Amino acid sequence: MNKFISDLMSKMTLDEKIGQLNLVTPGGAVTGSVVSSDVDNKIRNGQVGGLFGINGPDKIRQAQDIAVKNSRLHIPLFFGLDVIHGHRTIFPIPLGLSCSWDMPMIQNTAHIAATEAAADGLNWVYSPMVDIARDPRWGRIAEGAGEDPYLGSQIATAMVRGYQGNDLTANNTVMACVKHYALYGAAEAGRDYNTVDMSRIKMYQYYLPPYKAAVDAGVGSVMSSFNEVDGIPATGNKFLLTDVLRTQWGFKGFVVSDYTSLSEMINHGTGDLQTVSANALKAGLDMDMVAEGFLNTLKKSLQEGKVTQKQVDDACRRILEAKYKMGLFDDAYRHCDAQRASAAILTDSNRMASRMAAEHSFVLLKNSNNVLPLKKSGTIALVGPLADNQRNMLGTWNIRGEYSEDITVAQGIKNIAGNDVNVLYARGANISDDSMTIANTNTLGKEIDVDSRTPQQMIDEAVAAANKADVVVACLGEAADMTGEASSMSNISLQQSQENLLQALIATGKPVVVVLFNGRPMTLPWENKNATAMLDVWFPGTEAGNAIADVLFGNYNPSGKLSTSFPQNVGQIPIYYNHKNTGRPLHDGDGHKFKSDYLDVTNEPLYPFGYGLSYTSFSYSDPVLSKTTISGTEGLTATVTVTNTGNYDGEEVVQLYLHEKYASITPAVKQLKGFQKIFLKKGESKQVVFNINHSDLMFYNSDLKLVAEPGDFDVMTGGDSRDVKTASFTLK
């Protein structure tokens, strides 16, 4: 590879080298107001390194023909797209998928997405998104794995392996692009694209690990983020792109900017286009997405001594290395097979995998009186604006998903329930009646459809159906693009239109099962108190309705566990399980005054990290440690016996947390360090053994060095982060 690329670069002009650093889009799937112009001629002139926003073997072959047949050196392009949670077969949104805590399954969803994307002509996907997020107001929380660095790192590894496989030249793999590097999930006020400011210790301990896990898994590319870090935008931040990513972590791939994030550095106030482009190249950015700052200014900056030839060459080499690893110099058309595309995309087996992933991602939040699973007999009132709604089943970032192929809840219940169930349908409400919310949500398409009837007429129809039914299934929540990019919300409760409907349904006295569609944790204290049952289904994907019906009727026993804490109200945000104690922590039984708390609400989340119910129940023994004292780099094991004490077979995510009582850096109250998902038949018991290694005891000290310090540790095991049993050991 090195000889091939060196030979090629020896023939390249400066303009052609800079051209390799230019990523453009002719339109299609875009996330900004700028669309590249005169793309065909730029490709002919060697001014383009890659394209994104187009797909399909025929279209990609046409573009590749221009590069391979009509440019001077015939250097092939690579082709990227946002494949976030599936390509044509759409899986649950990443936040939902993370609630499965099932790494093999998550890896398989990425593998299927890669297979479909590659069959559609693509060889590069902008995923996984691994930003740690502790603020559910931020819309892009839907795209990540939640609030925990350990779980997030496991998922980052699984996704990279699923996309890239073992051979990037294979026709069913794609190069992954981990994003958004770095810290994007900590945007102030939960407002997208906003400033991020945090200590280095917090950065290293909680926010950087999932990116590093992706690098360690061999990810081929990294995308810089929109936000600033330490007062410098990430796209031009040498500390992030070179000092940490390349020097500390040894990353060998290339770094691409996010959509026009290079030119947006002007708005941040760090210089004009020439200045920010030069700064970004020097910081370690290799490829400029859409802004064309590199294309239009680097030659001048080189002449003026503001960048060096080596910096240009290094960036160019990294792009060419990626193309070599993809096998494009051997066969630029390896992903341009229309016959394979027709056979590999949206297959029955892929749809079944989507259905299974959705079932495993659902989180049962409440189930009073064991109202779930539903009987396959009697009368069900199926109500709500999301009960028979194809448009909103896929969630955000479904570039190639087709709404016409989605299974609605109404259709799923018809498919699963059988002939002995009578279903009475009523819409009941619009997703929202607020004109501003409707207009902003519908920017990219009509997701909130406003009924011609009055809100009261719709509620009356729903109440009439409820009064005739044995049970009410209310499908409520968000529209798909109420989360995702540029979809932050200051109010994360149900829209008032749906609150009014739910209050009227509960007033009937009939049991009400809420099926919640959402791309973020929501504030649901009234719903939790008054609804009979609540099943969080996130946005489940192509097979949404079938998966939901499977769970509602007990064909699958829900096993999802939350990867983010649900606040009681927005005033608690940010709220997360691995917080630190203050000098005046609030303990059970304490008086209120002069403690770290609120006057009007408890400190606890509504639902904690790791929480999720089942149709069965599980009991936990106290953890038993193999040693109570260790020294040096010794490890130990923690064993817990879990018993299925209920009436259904089911799966349980057994969780292990650690807490060091005293350290040179104030420790979190607990940190996830292990989990195992197990299946137990009713009445069955299993011993679950966790290996606690020396690395699990390490943290970043004030010198940003990973250390393990002697002291006393608590080992906590349980079914969520709040309800745990504890044992202790000492590290000498």
Side-chain angles (χ1 to χ4, degrees):
M1 179 179 72
N2 290 336
K3 183 181 186 306
F4 176 88
I5 292 173
S6 294
D7 290 345
L8 177 59
M9 289 183 65
S10 70
K11 303 171 187 174
M12 296 174 72
T13 65
L14 175 61
D15 288 331
E16 287 168 334
K17 290 176 179 177
I18 293 173
Q20 286 299 303
L21 317 186
N22 191 31
L23 177 66
V24 300
T25 178
V30 298
T31 60
S33 58
V34 178
V35 176
S36 309
S37 61
D38 199 23
V39 171
D40 288 5
N41 278 330
K42 287 175 180 172
I43 296 172
R44 287 188 186 93
N45 295 330
Q47 295 178 307
V48 175
L51 281 179
F52 76 101
I54 66 170
N55 56 269
D58 293 338
K59 289 182 180 179
I60 285 176
R61 180 179 287 276
Q62 291 171 13
Q64 193 71 288
D65 274 346
I66 301 173
V68 172
K69 297 178 180 178
N70 295 309
S71 67
R72 188 178 76 90
L73 292 177
H74 318 297
I75 299 173
L77 304 170
F78 49 52
F79 296 88
L81 194 70
D82 287 281
V83 177
I84 307 301
H85 52 113
H87 182 58
R88 284 284 282 104
T89 304
I90 304 299
F91 295 93
I93 59 169
L95 184 62
L97 201 59
S98 71
C99 294
S100 72
W101 297 54
D102 189 327
M103 298 308 112
M105 188 188 73
I106 290 173
Q107 181 170 329
N108 188 50
T109 68
H111 171 67
I112 291 171
T115 299
E116 291 195 346
D120 216 12
L122 302 167
N123 44 36
W124 187 29
V125 297
Y126 307 139
S127 178
M129 190 280 238
V130 302
D131 302 320
I132 295 296
R134 294 171 165 180
D135 191 333
R137 295 173 299 178
W138 187 55
R140 302 196 79 167
I141 194 172
E143 297 174 47
E147 70 188 42
D148 181 68
Y150 182 87
L151 178 61
S153 295
Q154 301 294 310
I155 291 174
T157 299
M159 294 289 283
V160 169
R161 290 174 176 168
Y163 286 130
Q164 296 191 169
N166 297 317
D167 181 5
L168 281 174
T169 68
N171 67 3
N172 65 343
T173 63
V174 293
M175 180 172 285
C177 184
V178 67
K179 63 183 189 182
H180 307 86
Y181 185 70
L183 320 182
Y184 188 30
E188 287 186 357
R191 200 172 73 242
D192 214 355
Y193 316 118
N194 205 7
T195 299
V196 171
D197 194 9
M198 69 174 65
S199 71
R200 291 284 173 94
I201 290 176
K202 187 176 186 179
M203 186 188 304
Y204 274 75
Q205 190 70 34
Y206 300 104
Y207 282 83
L208 291 182
Y211 308 111
K212 184 178 186 300
V215 170
D216 291 343
V219 73
S221 61
V222 170
M223 183 182 291
S224 66
S225 54
F226 288 112
N227 54 280
E228 67 174 64
V229 175
D230 285 347
I232 301 173
T235 298
N237 194 307
K238 179 179 177 293
F239 166 73
L240 289 178
L241 304 187
T242 296
D243 298 349
V244 175
L245 185 60
R246 297 197 184 281
T247 303
Q248 294 180 24
W249 296 352
F251 176 62
K252 302 300 183 186
F254 71 92
V255 180
V256 62
S257 70
D258 207 336
Y259 201 111
T260 64
S261 68
L262 186 145
S263 57
E264 290 171 27
M265 292 167 66
I266 300 170
N267 288 336
H268 281 279
T270 60
D272 60 15
L273 184 62
Q274 182 182 356
T275 300
V276 299
S277 299
N279 288 344
L281 183 73
K282 290 186 290 186
L285 186 74
D286 301 307
M287 185 168 243
D288 169 13
M289 184 187 289
V290 178
E292 298 198 336
F294 282 178
L295 185 71
N296 294 319
T297 71
L298 282 188
K299 191 172 184 179
K300 182 180 179 184
S301 291
L302 182 61
Q303 292 167 346
E304 295 175 354
K306 295 177 179 176
V307 299
T308 67
Q309 184 67 53
K310 184 178 186 303
Q311 289 163 344
V312 174
D313 286 351
D314 285 348
C316 178
R317 177 175 287 274
R318 291 178 188 130
I319 302 303
L320 296 176
E321 284 177 352
K323 294 179 179 183
Y324 189 97
K325 292 171 183 175
M326 291 175 178
L328 294 179
F329 289 109
D330 290 329
D331 179 6
Y333 303 97
R334 64 178 61 245
H335 290 167
C336 295
D337 182 346
Q339 186 173 357
R340 191 168 69 88
S342 63
I345 290 175
L346 206 68
T347 64
D348 289 345
S349 63
N350 289 357
R351 292 191 72 126
M352 186 57 67
S354 174
R355 180 172 176 170
M356 185 183 79
E359 292 167 357
H360 283 69
S361 73
F362 299 163
V363 181
L364 184 61
L365 300 174
K366 183 181 181 182
N367 193 23
S368 294
N369 304 320
N370 294 317
V371 65
L372 293 177
L374 299 175
K375 298 180 178 66
K376 292 185 179 180
S377 61
T379 300
I380 295 172
L382 178 65
V383 302
L386 292 157
D388 193 19
N389 186 322
Q390 276 191 311
R391 182 67 172 81
N392 287 288
M393 294 298 98
L394 301 184
T396 185
W397 278 118
N398 56 84
I399 301 298
R400 289 281 284 127
E402 295 288 347
Y403 307 117
S404 61
E405 294 158 346
D406 303 347
I407 306 297
T408 66
V409 181
Q411 183 62 50
I413 288 178
K414 182 179 179 181
N415 294 343
I416 302 302
N419 296 328
D420 293 333
V421 174
N422 179 34
V423 178
L424 305 175
Y425 168 74
R427 177 168 173 166
N430 300 316
I431 292 175
S432 179
D433 290 330
D434 179 75
S435 58
M436 180 178 178
T437 301
I438 294 169
N440 289 340
T441 302
N442 287 350
T443 300
L444 300 178
K446 198 171 185 180
E447 292 183 355
I448 301 179
D449 180 32
V450 179
D451 198 283
S452 60
R453 294 171 293 174
T454 68
Q456 191 58 51
Q457 286 173 326
M458 286 191 284
I459 288 176
D460 290 345
E461 180 189 38
V463 167
N467 283 327
K468 298 174 184 176
D470 302 305
V471 63
V472 180
V473 175
C475 299
L476 309 174
E478 299 181 306
D481 280 324
M482 288 171 78
T483 50
E485 184 170 358
S487 295
S488 296
M489 296 276 283
S490 66
N491 176 10
I492 56 173
S493 62
L494 281 177
Q495 293 289 306
Q496 191 61 53
S497 58
Q498 298 181 66
E499 288 278 9
N500 295 341
L501 169 63
L502 184 58
Q503 290 171 8
L505 293 172
I506 289 173
T508 66
K510 297 298 177 76
V512 176
V513 176
V514 173
V515 176
L516 183 69
F517 291 81
N518 52 318
R520 57 163 55 86
M522 300 180 73
T523 50
L524 304 164
W526 189 89
E527 291 82 355
N528 179 64
K529 181 178 179 180
N530 292 282
T532 313
M534 295 181 66
L535 179 69
D536 196 327
V537 300
W538 312 103
F539 290 103
T542 303
E543 285 286 311
N546 285 332
I548 291 167
D550 277 339
V551 172
L552 288 178
F553 289 99
N555 292 356
Y556 178 76
N557 185 353
S559 61
K561 299 280 189 172
L562 295 178
S563 59
T564 46
S565 305
F566 275 50
Q568 297 183 61
N569 60 48
V570 292
Q572 290 183 304
I573 297 170
I575 187 167
Y576 46 93
Y577 87 92
N578 51 354
H579 63 86
K580 297 187 176 187
N581 268 331
T582 74
R584 295 186 177 186
L586 181 70
H587 298 296
D588 290 342
D590 283 353
H592 157 72
K593 273 300 182 186
F594 311 115
K595 298 292 183 181
S596 180
D597 67 345
Y598 302 98
L599 290 174
D600 59 340
V601 69
T602 67
N603 288 358
E604 292 297 311
L606 182 64
Y607 308 118
F609 174 84
Y611 173 84
L613 303 176
S614 168
Y615 294 155
T616 193
S617 55
F618 299 96
S619 67
Y620 282 74
S621 71
D622 292 328
V624 176
L625 305 183
S626 61
K627 304 174 186 176
T628 56
T629 301
I630 59 175
S631 61
T633 58
E634 279 186 294
L636 71 156
T637 62
T639 302
V640 59
T641 301
V642 183
T643 303
N644 183 340
T645 56
N647 296 318
Y648 296 87
D649 301 342
E651 293 169 287
E652 173 72 340
V653 180
V654 185
Q655 301 160 42
L656 172 83
Y657 299 87
L658 294 182
H659 166 65
E660 186 167 10
K661 294 181 180 179
Y662 306 107
S664 58
I665 297 295
T666 54
V669 295
K670 58 173 71 79
Q671 294 191 76
L672 182 70
K673 291 295 181 180
F675 60 87
Q676 294 183 39
K677 192 164 190 176
I678 61 172
F679 175 83
L680 292 174
K681 293 184 176 296
K682 61 179 181 180
E684 183 183 5
S685 296
K686 280 187 180 177
Q687 284 192 335
V688 178
V689 179
F690 292 100
N691 294 312
I692 301 173
N693 301 312
H694 184 72
S695 60
D696 296 321
L697 313 181
M698 301 178 81
F699 62 91
Y700 285 96
N701 66 13
S702 56
D703 296 320
L704 298 181
K705 302 294 185 184
L706 267 176
V707 298
E709 294 179 347
D712 297 326
F713 290 80
D714 291 327
V715 178
M716 293 164 273
T717 53
D720 61 58
S721 63
R722 182 163 58 194
D723 299 316
V724 295
K725 295 187 174 182
T726 305
S728 300
F729 70 91
T730 300
L731 172 64
K732 293 292 187 181

